[in-house]
Amino acid sequence: MNVMEITHSDELERVPTGLAGHDVPWVIRARQQAFARFSAQGFPTRRDEEWKYTDVSVLTRRASLAPDDIPPDPSSEAALHAWSLAQEGTHLMVFVNGHFSEELSAMGELPEGVHLGSLAQRLEDGDELLRPYFEGEEHTVFGALNNAFATDGAVISLPPNTVVDGPIYLLFIASGHGVAIYPRNIVLAGAGARATIIEHYMGTLDSHNFTDAVTELNLGAAADIRHYKLLQEGPAAVHIAGIHADQQADSRFASHSYALGGHLGRNDITSRLLGPHCHCTMNGLYLLDDKQHMDHHTRIDHLAPDGTSREAYRGILDGASSGVFNGKVIVHPGAVRTDADQSNHNLLLSRQAEVDTKPQLEIFADDVKCTHGATVGQLDDDALFYLCSRGIDANLAKSMLMYGFANDIIEKIENPTLRNRIEGLVLDRLPQGENLSL
Amino acid sequence: MLLVKNLHASVNGKEILHGIDLHVRAGEVHAIMGPNGSGKSTLAQVLAGREGYQVTQGSVTYLDHDLLAMPPEARAREGVFLAFQYPVEIPGVSIALFLKTSLNAIRRERGLPEVDAMDFLGLVRERMKRLGMDEAFLTRAVNQGFSGGEKKRNEVLQLAVLEPLLAILDETDSGLDIDALKTVADGVNAMRGPERAIVVVTHYQRLLDYIVPDYVHVLSQGRIVKSGGPELARELELHGYGWVEAKNGARQVA
Amino acid sequence: MNTATKSLDELIGREYRHGFYTLLETDTVPPGLNEDIIRLISAKKNEPDFMLEWRLKAYRHWLTMKEPEWANVHHPAINYQDIVYYSAPKSDKSGPRSLDDVDPELLRTYERLGIPLKEQAMLAGVAVDAVFDSVSVATTFREKLAELGIVFCPFSEAVQNHPDLVRQYLGSVVPHTDNFYAALNAAVFSDGSFCYIPPGVRCPMELSTYFRINAKNTGQFERTLIIADKDAYVSYLEGCTAPMRDENQLHAAVVELVALEGARIKYATVQNWYPGDKEGKGGIYNFVTKRGDCRGANSHISWTQVETGSAITWKYPSVILRGDNAIGEFYSVALTNHYQQADTGTKMIHLGRNTRSTVISKGISAGRGQNTYRGQIKVLTGAEGARNYTQCDSLLLGSHCGAHTFPYIEVKNPTAKVEHEASTSRIGEDQLFYCTQRGIAPEDAVSMIVSGFCKEVFKELPMEFAVEAQKLLGVSLEGSTG
């Protein structure tokens, strides 16, 4: 254990009084044990295969890892309206610097039996339901850190066969300077339940905050959950997150990840297809510029027969940005008739930009259909000529091709309002993007 | 409108066009025929400004402009349209967006106001109806997953919407069944008018039964070896290209 | 389907055919590894000082290294002190001067293996260097090649006769610090083949090395160095077999290829080391470092490999594309059956402008075999216009085997185009039914489908090798169109 870690350990001794559940014995113990697991491993280095292309050493230079208790900035309310993707019928929960803000939230009316509430409150109450989530082994070392410091987040529980029509929208705003934020979301979807959940991370321009978020989703038989993650943190922010789903038979889980902002980002997105006939979708788009670095690590575990998975990630890299895609599909023994497809395509637009992609298949069953493909390339010259030959300016033609490249992912968003909003965000990032809508 | 003088062009250092002379006036329809490898498509690509085709000699004047000095988008805005033999797929970009962007780029150049989405859709729907096309076409990505016939129809749709002054159709008949051929030809014929010139590049005489040209030129080994009226196309159909080539060879020897 | 499954099992369950052992008097050093053993090996080879120093440097570095753990293979720890690092057939003279000097028992061994050492009986156009345990026992056609200025001889002879070439190029592609097994090889390698093609010379025949492990408890550590000078061309074949033994034997070879401006090297391997028995007992650990350096502009290196043997295969024949317009290729068929494990693939490092690489990998897994493709495509900043195309396909025969694909793609140049595609499939019932409905016997149908699956790789092999390779896959091709 190095000096820094000892300091942080001391921090933990001090900090729990400010953390949710600080007088619930199991919560305290779980947090301490999680912190011990974090300390034992420390931050990963590039020698770790899973962190080969992403350097998080910037975190070791932070003065403190402990979560801050900064009251919401009054200006965030105004900003909220500019940022919010809320649409009619949205169930909105707003978190400012990691803490639920009841005033800014509008949960709306929910079907009977559906619970949507603050995790902090549940921890304060010592809700035993959450216990296994805090006492289990985490997916990554950042999961352990999150277990130790989790401040707040959403707990969503859907009774069997309930359908929530409007999206459940979790908006996380980082406005404080250099704060550490540990959001934790838990989704329990009963058999046959359906919902759309949006996790949206926004940051102000100057906030070089560190966010370490974890979202866990438990899908009962035939549940259908669509999860959208939008990363629009400020240009100095470090954002590391895990999204982990467990799927029972016949369930459908879709994860859509849009990475548009932040300085250093990493999403670990995993799903385990535990029962037969599950379907898992993982789509993602990263648009990077300047010195942004974005790393997507995905993993789909096919553990039962007749599962299908479809994964499509695309990246457009400009400036001195770097993008990483590491997608693993594992077909375990007995997961026969699995049908898995994975692709990762990248446009590399600048001399300083870099792409590292690692699409991986691990297959332990013979009656399967698995494919993957990855490309790194540029805009198609033939397509550019075709557009120019129709009178379109060369720069606009380039933007149009970038848009088309991204649109293959955006089109997969089922909710039309959300699709339009996200399309708008992507167009904002493209040169002359304003000329690219009908 | 278009004056091509002694045009030599090469691809990858290999000369394909060995001196083409061609004069197309407004209101005329010219057919350029020739066997495979005669340079027909090269001529079409050079006129549209394709990169990688080097003009080594000669000139092309279009409406008093030096066409060869203009980038492809400027040519298009001045009214030059190429219907591609192999239209490229553009994933993720809908035909509607593509065509509207193109139309407005051209309208801006002509000093016309840009059309908004409503007017555009009105215009394009009308043209599609004329071409017997389904409206669902508009939301599909440009040429992606299109059959050969659909690609060609899409080219003709663009021709109808963009209303160029000089339309060059490169093997627009290839891969079409007889019904599709008729529809495409009707679409092209509807565009004929005193303001507009059309250059039809084709291997077969078949298309010329439907788009009757004013002039027919036979291209062989990078040169125009024979020019004549529409009857020339039918003679070619009877005797094959060997006939012209043999005659031409004999004349050259003599 | 039942008949088909049965025939599949028969096909893939065929016995190892090269598992006999030749009784020969040998000159063997005691097991174990220390500086004295290295000095002994160097002294036996009568090496110049620079070689001994190089070996010792490698050994000292090796002591600081750990065995790689990242590969997707599992085996009990290897005790490097139990291994015999030098074993040679005993002969009266320092080395065979001609084939007449070679022990007739040895010649018979190679005859049984189907490797022609008698020049008159040889297939036209193949010159063979035969390496038996640790030393080269016969090299054919040397005079004929010498007329063209081509050097093709055992490595130990090259050290004596061409020390300057050896000194210039040895370790220049695979340095002694490269990896654990390469360092070990550099310390103890006893022989191998050496080949130099002078500028502008097109080697008129296939050059071939045939490796045979015979002695018990012996590690084989040969080293091959091929240099194609400016505008030279050579096609090189490598084959390997070993007796059936219950214990595992280590093969840690190094191959270095250097292609100067405009040169072309084609390197083909048919690897059929003893894979162990059906229960996974015994077999060769094949931990090999192979790398080519396209040092000059317009140079071209291609690796073709058919890997059917060894208990464990760990090898990544690679190409460093340094010269502008250089081309690197990797074509591979790897079959794992029973308890075999293969972790193989390639690295293509693009440094020069307009460099191109192609990777075609076909993995076939049967029984409890585990087959891993691991490949790295790296395009560095200066590699303007670099292109790579990678395709890796896996075919699974049976429900207990595994197929794994681990590509690493790293691109730092915005004019580069890199494409990777992978698929996994099995022989579909519909495919078999289609064939049998047309009157094709199920086993022929299977072999047809398997050979069709591997076709893109087989077509890169010289004819005789392609035939051998198809046989090796345990697949009869009678009645198929190939």
Side-chain angles (χ1 to χ4, degrees), chain C residues 31-49:
Chain C
L33 185 55
N34 52 51
E35 292 202 4
D36 289 342
I37 290 281
I38 290 165
R39 285 175 206 282
L40 185 64
I41 293 170
S42 189
K44 277 182 183 291
K45 315 239 89 176
N46 192 28
E47 285 179 347
D49 287 346

PDB file of all heavy atoms in Angstrom, chain C residues 31-49:
ATOM      1  N   PRO C  31      21.746 -32.820 -18.453  1.00  0.00           N
ATOM      2  CA  PRO C  31      20.636 -31.886 -18.375  1.00  0.00           C
ATOM      3  C   PRO C  31      20.983 -30.690 -17.507  1.00  0.00           C
ATOM      4  O   PRO C  31      21.912 -30.739 -16.697  1.00  0.00           O
ATOM      5  CB  PRO C  31      19.511 -32.706 -17.742  1.00  0.00           C
ATOM      6  CG  PRO C  31      20.123 -33.926 -17.189  1.00  0.00           C
ATOM      7  CD  PRO C  31      21.453 -34.114 -17.829  1.00  0.00           C
ATOM      8  N   GLY C  32      20.209 -29.631 -17.686  1.00  0.00           N
ATOM      9  CA  GLY C  32      20.412 -28.452 -16.850  1.00  0.00           C
ATOM     10  C   GLY C  32      20.993 -27.312 -17.641  1.00  0.00           C
ATOM     11  O   GLY C  32      21.505 -27.499 -18.751  1.00  0.00           O
ATOM     12  N   LEU C  33      20.874 -26.127 -17.079  1.00  0.00           N
ATOM     13  CA  LEU C  33      21.334 -24.942 -17.784  1.00  0.00           C
ATOM     14  C   LEU C  33      22.122 -24.037 -16.835  1.00  0.00           C
ATOM     15  O   LEU C  33      21.656 -23.697 -15.755  1.00  0.00           O
ATOM     16  CB  LEU C  33      20.127 -24.178 -18.354  1.00  0.00           C
ATOM     17  CG  LEU C  33      20.462 -22.960 -19.222  1.00  0.00           C
ATOM     18  CD1 LEU C  33      21.384 -23.342 -20.363  1.00  0.00           C
ATOM     19  CD2 LEU C  33      19.182 -22.342 -19.767  1.00  0.00           C
ATOM     20  N   ASN C  34      23.353 -23.739 -17.231  1.00  0.00           N
ATOM     21  CA  ASN C  34      24.181 -22.773 -16.520  1.00  0.00           C
ATOM     22  C   ASN C  34      25.219 -22.253 -17.498  1.00  0.00           C
ATOM     23  O   ASN C  34      25.257 -22.692 -18.655  1.00  0.00           O
ATOM     24  CB  ASN C  34      24.825 -23.395 -15.277  1.00  0.00           C
ATOM     25  CG  ASN C  34      25.556 -24.683 -15.646  1.00  0.00           C
ATOM     26  OD1 ASN C  34      26.371 -24.705 -16.581  1.00  0.00           O
ATOM     27  ND2 ASN C  34      25.237 -25.762 -14.938  1.00  0.00           N
ATOM     28  N   GLU C  35      26.048 -21.359 -17.072  1.00  0.00           N
ATOM     29  CA  GLU C  35      27.010 -20.761 -17.997  1.00  0.00           C
ATOM     30  C   GLU C  35      27.986 -21.806 -18.536  1.00  0.00           C
ATOM     31  O   GLU C  35      28.440 -21.727 -19.672  1.00  0.00           O
ATOM     32  CB  GLU C  35      27.762 -19.604 -17.321  1.00  0.00           C
ATOM     33  CG  GLU C  35      26.821 -18.434 -17.049  1.00  0.00           C
ATOM     34  CD  GLU C  35      27.546 -17.111 -16.886  1.00  0.00           C
ATOM     35  OE1 GLU C  35      28.779 -17.070 -17.059  1.00  0.00           O
ATOM     36  OE2 GLU C  35      26.857 -16.097 -16.610  1.00  0.00           O
ATOM     37  N   ASP C  36      28.287 -22.824 -17.713  1.00  0.00           N
ATOM     38  CA  ASP C  36      29.211 -23.852 -18.176  1.00  0.00           C
ATOM     39  C   ASP C  36      28.641 -24.642 -19.343  1.00  0.00           C
ATOM     40  O   ASP C  36      29.350 -24.959 -20.301  1.00  0.00           O
ATOM     41  CB  ASP C  36      29.550 -24.808 -17.023  1.00  0.00           C
ATOM     42  CG  ASP C  36      30.447 -24.124 -15.995  1.00  0.00           C
ATOM     43  OD1 ASP C  36      31.055 -23.094 -16.362  1.00  0.00           O
ATOM     44  OD2 ASP C  36      30.499 -24.601 -14.852  1.00  0.00           O
ATOM     45  N   ILE C  37      27.334 -24.965 -19.251  1.00  0.00           N
ATOM     46  CA  ILE C  37      26.691 -25.693 -20.359  1.00  0.00           C
ATOM     47  C   ILE C  37      26.775 -24.859 -21.628  1.00  0.00           C
ATOM     48  O   ILE C  37      27.071 -25.363 -22.715  1.00  0.00           O
ATOM     49  CB  ILE C  37      25.214 -26.010 -20.009  1.00  0.00           C
ATOM     50  CG1 ILE C  37      25.132 -27.066 -18.898  1.00  0.00           C
ATOM     51  CG2 ILE C  37      24.429 -26.436 -21.246  1.00  0.00           C
ATOM     52  CD1 ILE C  37      25.348 -28.493 -19.344  1.00  0.00           C
ATOM     53  N   ILE C  38      26.532 -23.565 -21.476  1.00  0.00           N
ATOM     54  CA  ILE C  38      26.576 -22.686 -22.653  1.00  0.00           C
ATOM     55  C   ILE C  38      27.992 -22.636 -23.234  1.00  0.00           C
ATOM     56  O   ILE C  38      28.185 -22.736 -24.443  1.00  0.00           O
ATOM     57  CB  ILE C  38      26.050 -21.275 -22.284  1.00  0.00           C
ATOM     58  CG1 ILE C  38      24.538 -21.376 -22.028  1.00  0.00           C
ATOM     59  CG2 ILE C  38      26.335 -20.264 -23.379  1.00  0.00           C
ATOM     60  CD1 ILE C  38      23.944 -20.198 -21.318  1.00  0.00           C
ATOM     61  N   ARG C  39      28.971 -22.544 -22.348  1.00  0.00           N
ATOM     62  CA  ARG C  39      30.370 -22.567 -22.821  1.00  0.00           C
ATOM     63  C   ARG C  39      30.671 -23.883 -23.527  1.00  0.00           C
ATOM     64  O   ARG C  39      31.358 -23.921 -24.547  1.00  0.00           O
ATOM     65  CB  ARG C  39      31.338 -22.389 -21.643  1.00  0.00           C
ATOM     66  CG  ARG C  39      31.391 -20.962 -21.124  1.00  0.00           C
ATOM     67  CD  ARG C  39      32.267 -20.869 -19.867  1.00  0.00           C
ATOM     68  NE  ARG C  39      31.857 -19.747 -19.039  1.00  0.00           N
ATOM     69  CZ  ARG C  39      32.196 -18.479 -19.315  1.00  0.00           C
ATOM     70  NH1 ARG C  39      32.945 -18.192 -20.353  1.00  0.00           N
ATOM     71  NH2 ARG C  39      31.765 -17.516 -18.544  1.00  0.00           N
ATOM     72  N   LEU C  40      30.114 -24.984 -22.964  1.00  0.00           N
ATOM     73  CA  LEU C  40      30.340 -26.300 -23.547  1.00  0.00           C
ATOM     74  C   LEU C  40      29.746 -26.389 -24.953  1.00  0.00           C
ATOM     75  O   LEU C  40      30.382 -26.848 -25.904  1.00  0.00           O
ATOM     76  CB  LEU C  40      29.723 -27.360 -22.623  1.00  0.00           C
ATOM     77  CG  LEU C  40      29.956 -28.825 -22.984  1.00  0.00           C
ATOM     78  CD1 LEU C  40      31.444 -29.166 -22.897  1.00  0.00           C
ATOM     79  CD2 LEU C  40      29.174 -29.741 -22.027  1.00  0.00           C
ATOM     80  N   ILE C  41      28.493 -25.911 -25.074  1.00  0.00           N
ATOM     81  CA  ILE C  41      27.836 -25.941 -26.394  1.00  0.00           C
ATOM     82  C   ILE C  41      28.662 -25.110 -27.383  1.00  0.00           C
ATOM     83  O   ILE C  41      28.969 -25.549 -28.496  1.00  0.00           O
ATOM     84  CB  ILE C  41      26.389 -25.395 -26.315  1.00  0.00           C
ATOM     85  CG1 ILE C  41      25.512 -26.334 -25.480  1.00  0.00           C
ATOM     86  CG2 ILE C  41      25.792 -25.209 -27.700  1.00  0.00           C
ATOM     87  CD1 ILE C  41      24.124 -25.778 -25.145  1.00  0.00           C
ATOM     88  N   SER C  42      29.057 -23.926 -26.950  1.00  0.00           N
ATOM     89  CA  SER C  42      29.817 -23.043 -27.818  1.00  0.00           C
ATOM     90  C   SER C  42      31.151 -23.684 -28.214  1.00  0.00           C
ATOM     91  O   SER C  42      31.574 -23.600 -29.374  1.00  0.00           O
ATOM     92  CB  SER C  42      30.041 -21.705 -27.100  1.00  0.00           C
ATOM     93  OG  SER C  42      30.586 -20.764 -27.998  1.00  0.00           O
ATOM     94  N   ALA C  43      31.775 -24.365 -27.247  1.00  0.00           N
ATOM     95  CA  ALA C  43      33.064 -25.011 -27.531  1.00  0.00           C
ATOM     96  C   ALA C  43      32.883 -26.172 -28.497  1.00  0.00           C
ATOM     97  O   ALA C  43      33.665 -26.360 -29.431  1.00  0.00           O
ATOM     98  CB  ALA C  43      33.699 -25.493 -26.219  1.00  0.00           C
ATOM     99  N   LYS C  44      31.826 -26.969 -28.287  1.00  0.00           N
ATOM    100  CA  LYS C  44      31.566 -28.095 -29.190  1.00  0.00           C
ATOM    101  C   LYS C  44      31.401 -27.608 -30.624  1.00  0.00           C
ATOM    102  O   LYS C  44      31.708 -28.309 -31.575  1.00  0.00           O
ATOM    103  CB  LYS C  44      30.294 -28.837 -28.775  1.00  0.00           C
ATOM    104  CG  LYS C  44      30.506 -29.862 -27.664  1.00  0.00           C
ATOM    105  CD  LYS C  44      29.209 -30.582 -27.355  1.00  0.00           C
ATOM    106  CE  LYS C  44      29.389 -31.553 -26.191  1.00  0.00           C
ATOM    107  NZ  LYS C  44      30.265 -32.704 -26.570  1.00  0.00           N
ATOM    108  N   LYS C  45      30.862 -26.400 -30.769  1.00  0.00           N
ATOM    109  CA  LYS C  45      30.636 -25.849 -32.091  1.00  0.00           C
ATOM    110  C   LYS C  45      31.837 -25.049 -32.574  1.00  0.00           C
ATOM    111  O   LYS C  45      31.781 -24.476 -33.662  1.00  0.00           O
ATOM    112  CB  LYS C  45      29.390 -24.950 -32.085  1.00  0.00           C
ATOM    113  CG  LYS C  45      28.194 -25.519 -31.354  1.00  0.00           C
ATOM    114  CD  LYS C  45      26.998 -25.653 -32.233  1.00  0.00           C
ATOM    115  CE  LYS C  45      27.011 -27.002 -32.919  1.00  0.00           C
ATOM    116  NZ  LYS C  45      25.956 -27.402 -33.719  1.00  0.00           N
ATOM    117  N   ASN C  46      32.872 -25.012 -31.714  1.00  0.00           N
ATOM    118  CA  ASN C  46      34.083 -24.295 -32.090  1.00  0.00           C
ATOM    119  C   ASN C  46      33.788 -22.857 -32.522  1.00  0.00           C
ATOM    120  O   ASN C  46      34.243 -22.375 -33.561  1.00  0.00           O
ATOM    121  CB  ASN C  46      34.794 -25.075 -33.225  1.00  0.00           C
ATOM    122  CG  ASN C  46      36.194 -24.546 -33.457  1.00  0.00           C
ATOM    123  OD1 ASN C  46      36.822 -24.023 -32.531  1.00  0.00           O
ATOM    124  ND2 ASN C  46      36.669 -24.660 -34.688  1.00  0.00           N
ATOM    125  N   GLU C  47      32.959 -22.169 -31.704  1.00  0.00           N
ATOM    126  CA  GLU C  47      32.471 -20.858 -32.114  1.00  0.00           C
ATOM    127  C   GLU C  47      33.470 -19.749 -31.821  1.00  0.00           C
ATOM    128  O   GLU C  47      34.214 -19.818 -30.841  1.00  0.00           O
ATOM    129  CB  GLU C  47      31.159 -20.542 -31.381  1.00  0.00           C
ATOM    130  CG  GLU C  47      29.982 -21.320 -31.925  1.00  0.00           C
ATOM    131  CD  GLU C  47      28.684 -21.029 -31.174  1.00  0.00           C
ATOM    132  OE1 GLU C  47      28.726 -20.423 -30.086  1.00  0.00           O
ATOM    133  OE2 GLU C  47      27.640 -21.412 -31.694  1.00  0.00           O
ATOM    134  N   PRO C  48      33.443 -18.706 -32.640  1.00  0.00           N
ATOM    135  CA  PRO C  48      34.268 -17.529 -32.337  1.00  0.00           C
ATOM    136  C   PRO C  48      33.759 -16.841 -31.062  1.00  0.00           C
ATOM    137  O   PRO C  48      32.612 -17.066 -30.646  1.00  0.00           O
ATOM    138  CB  PRO C  48      34.075 -16.628 -33.555  1.00  0.00           C
ATOM    139  CG  PRO C  48      32.851 -17.134 -34.244  1.00  0.00           C
ATOM    140  CD  PRO C  48      32.718 -18.580 -33.902  1.00  0.00           C
ATOM    141  N   ASP C  49      34.570 -16.006 -30.486  1.00  0.00           N
ATOM    142  CA  ASP C  49      34.244 -15.384 -29.203  1.00  0.00           C
ATOM    143  C   ASP C  49      32.935 -14.609 -29.234  1.00  0.00           C
ATOM    144  O   ASP C  49      32.171 -14.623 -28.284  1.00  0.00           O
ATOM    145  CB  ASP C  49      35.371 -14.421 -28.777  1.00  0.00           C
ATOM    146  CG  ASP C  49      36.583 -15.213 -28.324  1.00  0.00           C
ATOM    147  OD1 ASP C  49      36.421 -16.439 -28.096  1.00  0.00           O
ATOM    148  OD2 ASP C  49      37.676 -14.623 -28.206  1.00  0.00           O
TER     149      ASP C  49
END
